[in-house]
Amino acid sequence: MIRIYSAEEIELIRESSLLVGKTLAEVAKHIGVGVKTITLDNVAEEYIHSVGATPGFKGYEGFPYALCISINEVVVHGFPSDYELKEGDIVSIDCGVYKNGFHGDSAYTFAIGEVGEEKRKLMQTTKEALYKGIEQAREGNRVGDISYAVQSYCEAQGYGVVRELVGHGVGAHLHEKPDVPNFGRQGSGKRLRAGMVIAIEPMITMGTHRVRWAKDGWGVFTQDSLPAAHYEHDVVIGKNGADILSSFDEIEKVLAAKAV
Ligand code: MG
Ligand code: MG
């Protein structure tokens, strides 16, 4: 069963999703060369509590932190730590916020200082692929239309599309039906209906799409140790297209102000 959310429920999911963007904007204010990733986790957790919400990830299947912080060859689910960010790193930060009984779940990949052209292009393409997927998130289409849009866009540019981890329904639970893979065939999979809420989240690699797991059981690394990027939005399916519930606007405002 794929849940169809009411207009009132969707507004509550939107509130949680927008809080994820605001949390990541707080993180963006602090991120930079020499900053420990555990510090960013503390910033996020404090902010989430300050707005009367709770971190959606902390305690989820035993995950110990508010943020997943995944650096360079780490695709997703990296643990915050004493590692100090350095010039040229790319850092995928995934965040969940739970408020009023509903989850928001969104991710953004940050560049630390000057990163090389190859990493820039990987980040850019991954973000573009997210929006290619969102374009297909309309009533009457199928999940495979989203999957195909993401996969074909990224593979045409020589990138790898991770298979083992996928997008998902989101709302009352952090992970709901349906799975939303970033690879697949047009016209396949579950039919999309207005009121379904899904997290679309391309995880794209510079080389092989194959991954391995860290000894902690969480961190997911590329097998060839080449970098990966990850962007994620929560969207509600509409009759004429998707309504994006999360937002990168606050994050990108902070980044633009820092770049001056
Ligand atoms: Mg996420
Ligand atoms: Mg997700």
Side-chain angles (χ1 to χ4, degrees):
M1 263 294 286
I2 302 175
R3 188 159 163 184
I4 303 292
Y5 286 96
S6 70
E8 292 75 17
E9 290 168 329
I10 287 164
E11 288 318 303
L12 294 175
I13 302 171
R14 189 192 307 276
E15 185 180 342
S16 295
S17 297
L18 289 176
L19 281 174
V20 176
K22 288 185 174 161
T23 305
L24 290 175
E26 286 302 309
V27 168
K29 288 179 190 168
H30 291 83
I31 203 168
V33 174
V35 176
K36 289 181 176 158
T37 60
I38 191 70
T39 304
L40 301 176
D41 191 67
N42 293 334
V43 164
E45 186 163 0
E46 241 173 69
Y47 179 78
I48 291 168
H49 286 300
S50 79
V51 294
T54 51
F57 294 174
K58 197 167 183 174
Y60 180 82
E61 291 184 359
F63 189 81
Y65 300 99
L67 300 178
C68 299
I69 301 186
S70 306
I71 302 162
N72 297 326
E73 72 273 21
V74 188
V75 183
V76 288
H77 302 168
F79 281 2
S81 72
D82 285 334
Y83 175 83
E84 294 180 4
L85 294 169
K86 53 181 204 300
E87 184 94 14
D89 284 342
I90 63 171
V91 188
S92 298
I93 305 189
D94 198 346
C95 178
V97 168
Y98 183 70
K99 192 177 181 186
N100 300 317
F102 294 96
H103 288 272
D105 178 15
S106 177
Y108 196 89
T109 301
F110 296 85
I112 304 304
E114 290 298 318
V115 308
E117 183 53 35
E118 278 189 307
K119 281 179 169 174
R120 277 263 166 227
K121 184 164 173 274
L122 172 68
M123 291 169 62
Q124 179 72 24
T125 302
T126 306
K127 201 206 293 186
E128 287 165 0
L130 168 59
Y131 291 101
K132 295 282 177 196
I134 291 171
E135 276 174 26
Q136 299 299 321
R138 67 181 65 231
E139 179 157 87
N141 271 5
R142 289 180 183 269
V143 168
D145 294 310
I146 298 171
S147 309
Y148 176 81
V150 171
Q151 180 182 19
S152 57
Y153 188 74
C154 295
E155 288 186 348
Q157 297 178 66
Y159 294 125
V161 176
V162 172
R163 307 291 201 266
E164 287 83 351
L165 300 125
V166 297
H168 50 90
V170 62
H173 303 276
L174 179 58
H175 293 131
E176 300 183 352
K177 298 268 173 218
D179 282 352
V180 183
N182 296 302
F183 61 98
R185 285 182 299 110
Q186 283 174 299
S188 71
K190 300 284 183 203
R191 192 174 290 282
L192 301 171
R193 300 192 188 286
M196 289 179 181
V197 181
I198 57 173
I200 302 177
E201 48 177 319
M203 289 156 259
I204 306 301
T205 65
M206 204 180 277
T208 181
H209 66 76
R210 293 182 191 284
V211 296
R212 63 183 172 83
W213 265 259
K215 286 197 189 75
D216 61 31
W218 282 100
V220 179
F221 290 66
T222 58
Q223 275 191 9
D224 56 12
S225 298
L226 289 174
H230 178 213
Y231 293 83
E232 177 179 24
H233 270 317
D234 301 331
V235 308
V236 56
I237 308 300
K239 291 208 186 304
N240 301 308
D243 180 3
I244 305 177
L245 300 176
S246 45
S247 172
F248 298 152
D249 290 353
E250 301 286 329
I251 300 167
E252 290 179 348
K253 252 186 253 170
V254 170
L255 295 179
K258 282 175 90 170
V260 182

